[in-house]
Each structure stands twice: as structure tokens, then as C-alpha cells.
């Protein structure tokens, strides 16, 4: 069972959603790149899931419960006290991130906090801590949402730099700082996510490829396999695998 909800008006500027997942069996959940950063409370405690550039298979046991806060692409900023590129393709315990005012009260093991045993109470505590932290952190790069949106719309990296009045080097530096990777990688990921949404909505793959800006369906298939490790069909109709 996996559910997403809006974050509420107090977090809507920086947070895409809050979510709750309970594994119904021993399985491996496939996490694919989405340009987001998540704060997650799982069976082993609190950790940060950085921006991925490839598939991240996650073993889950029956009954494992996770709750999370997902930041919008490119706007996590300095919330976790380290540059975003240092979190790329990483799962980092919150306790390993030094100097994060506003979040230390969450640096506890879930087993030692019985009052926070319920997922809703954990999510409530996480929301409050993130809200406090956001009031003390620097604002995110205001160009980040436009960079992601225009790349997803099919503009080239050079066109995006021109539209924003940046040199190629400036766009590269700001994209790496905000998203954790270079503009070409970001473009590949947001295009993949757009194609995935269209495919899950029932659009034929040839049309998905053309609409999402791929050269052809073969190009789409190659990019999907490189970013997720599996064919598009597996992402549209996932098959559960034993852990």
C-alpha cells in the first residue's frame, strides 16, 4: 500500500507531497530517479534519500512501514546541512548529517520513542521539524523550478540557458547545486518521468516517445532501461519480487 497526500499550505512552496507506504509482503521495491530528495522514517529510523541517477532497489519485509516528505525537484536547498550533490545516489541516516538546526529532535531511533510508534504521529513530527528548519534555511534557487519545467517541456539545455540569460557554465553550476547533477542528466530524468506518467495513463509507447521528446520508441526504451534497469512495461505494471 502506497499513498501520497498534499503537504498542506505551510509546506507547499518547497514540498511536493507527504507519503505513507506499508509493505504487504517480503519484496523489493524499485525506486527510480525523479529529481526529488526525500526525508524518510523507515524501520531503521530516519534517513535522507538523495537525488538518484539510476535505479535503487529497496528490500522491504512484510509489515515494514515508511513515511516520507518529498521535496520538489531542485528546492531542498540547504535543509539537510550539506550540499545536494553530496547526497546524490545516497541513503544517509539523519544522525550522520551534522549541523542541521531544527531537525535534531528527529535524530532518534524509532524503537526508543513509543509515543511516535504510529505513522501519523511520525509524519506529524517530521512535518513540524521540516517547517522549523525551512524558516531557518536559505531560500532555494528561484531558477530551479523553471529549469526543471522547461527541460521537461522539451527545451534543450542551450535553449534553457538562453531563456534564463545564463551562460552554459552558469546553468551547469546552478543545476548541479540545486538538483545534484548536471543539466543533461536532469533533462534525461525529467523526460523519463514525463514519459512514465503518460505510459501509466495508457498512452501507446510510440506516442509516449514522440510526445516526451525522444527520437523514437527505441530511444525511449534505451533511456528507460538505463535509468530504471527494467523495461517500461515493468514500471507501468510492476511485478513483485521476493526480497
Amino acid at each position: 500500500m502506497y499513498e501520497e497526500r498534499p503537504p498542506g499550505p505551510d509546506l507547499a512552496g518547497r514540498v511536493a507531497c507527504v507519503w505513507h507506504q506499508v509493505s504487504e509482503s517480503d519484496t523489493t521495491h524499485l525506486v527510480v530517479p525523479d529529481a526529488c530528495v526525500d526525508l524518510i522514517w523507515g524501520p531503521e529510523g530516519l534517513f535522507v534519500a538523495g537525488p538518484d541517477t539510476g535505479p535503487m532497489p529497496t528490500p522491504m519485509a512484510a509489515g515494514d512501514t515508511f513515511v516520507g516528505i518529498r521535496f520538489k525537484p531542485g528546492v531542498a536547498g540547504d535543509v539537510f546541512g550539506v550540499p545536494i550533490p553530496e547526497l546524490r545516489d545516497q541513503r544517509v541516516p539523519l544522525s550522520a548529517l551534522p549541523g542541521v538546526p531544527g531537525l535534531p529532535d528527529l535524530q532518534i531511533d524509532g524503537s526508543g520513542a513509543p509515543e511516535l510508534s504510529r505513522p501519523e504521529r511520525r509524519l506529524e513530527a517530521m512535518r513540524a521539524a521540516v517547517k522549523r528548519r525551512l524558516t531557518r534555511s536559505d531560500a532555494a534557487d528561484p531558477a530551479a523550478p523553471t529549469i526543471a519545467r522547461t527541460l521537461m517541456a522539451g527545451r534543450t539545455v542551450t535553449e534553457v540557458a538562453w531563456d534564463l540569460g545564463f551562460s552554459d557554465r552558469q546553468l551547469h553550476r546552478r543545476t548541479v547545486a540545486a538538483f545534484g547533477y548536471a543539466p543533461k542528466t536532469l533533462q534525461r530524468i525529467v523526460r523519463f518521468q514525463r514519459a512514465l506518467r503518460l505510459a501509466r495513463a495508457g498512452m501507446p509507447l510510440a506516442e509516449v516517445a514522440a510526445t516526451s521528446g525522444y527520437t523514437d520508441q527505441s530511444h525511449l526504451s534505451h533511456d528507460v532501461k538505463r535509468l530504471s534497469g527494467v523495461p517500461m512495461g515493468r514500471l507501468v505494471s510492476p511485478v513483485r519480487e521476493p526480497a
Side-chain angles (χ1 to χ4, degrees), residues 217-239:
Q217 189 171 334
S218 177
H219 183 201
L220 166 66
S221 299
H222 177 77
D223 239 24
V224 168
K225 190 69 179 294
R226 183 164 57 170
L227 287 170
S228 70
V230 298
M232 179 66 90
R234 284 280 305 279
L235 299 176
V236 174
S237 301
V239 176

Side-chain angles (χ1 to χ4, degrees), residues 72-95:
K72 294 179 179 179
V75 301
D78 63 347
V79 166
F80 297 111
V82 296
I84 293 299
E86 293 187 14
L87 298 172
R88 183 176 55 228
D89 295 321
Q90 301 292 321
R91 301 295 184 262
V92 184
L94 194 62
S95 58

Side-chain angles (χ1 to χ4, degrees), residues 38-215:
D38 286 54
L39 173 64
I40 301 172
W41 196 329
E44 304 301 323
L46 282 145
F47 64 98
V48 178
D52 297 324
T53 60
M56 190 68 71
T58 305
M60 300 176 70
D64 279 355
T65 299
F66 295 78
V67 292
I69 294 180
R70 179 165 301 144
F71 287 81
K72 294 179 179 179
V75 301
D78 63 347
V79 166
F80 297 111
V82 296
I84 293 299
E86 293 187 14
L87 298 172
R88 183 176 55 228
D89 295 321
Q90 301 292 321
R91 301 295 184 262
V92 184
L94 194 62
S95 58
L97 297 174
V100 191
L103 292 181
D105 49 339
L106 285 179
Q107 292 176 358
I108 54 178
D109 186 323
S111 62
E115 73 278 10
L116 294 176
S117 60
R118 293 170 52 197
E120 283 300 322
R121 293 294 301 275
R122 291 184 175 186
L123 189 54
E124 181 182 340
M126 292 165 66
R127 289 186 77 268
V130 168
K131 184 179 178 181
R132 286 194 297 273
R133 174 59 183 157
L134 287 175
T135 63
R136 304 171 190 174
S137 64
D138 293 336
D141 187 338
T146 301
I147 293 172
R149 185 172 58 253
T150 51
L151 286 175
M152 187 180 296
R155 303 284 283 173
T156 67
V157 171
T158 298
E159 289 171 340
V160 172
W162 175 265
D163 292 345
L164 293 173
F166 297 158
S167 66
D168 288 348
R169 179 173 297 184
Q170 287 174 319
L171 180 66
H172 181 92
R173 176 176 55 79
R174 294 178 73 151
T175 302
V176 170
F179 297 91
Y181 30 61
K184 283 288 188 182
T185 301
L186 175 63
Q187 182 185 47
R188 190 174 299 121
I189 289 171
V190 297
R191 182 174 56 190
F192 159 71
Q193 281 291 329
R194 184 184 184 193
L196 184 56
R197 283 193 293 274
L198 293 174
R200 284 175 170 166
M203 182 180 287
L205 292 185
E207 190 175 347
V208 168
T211 304
S212 303
Y214 292 91
T215 305

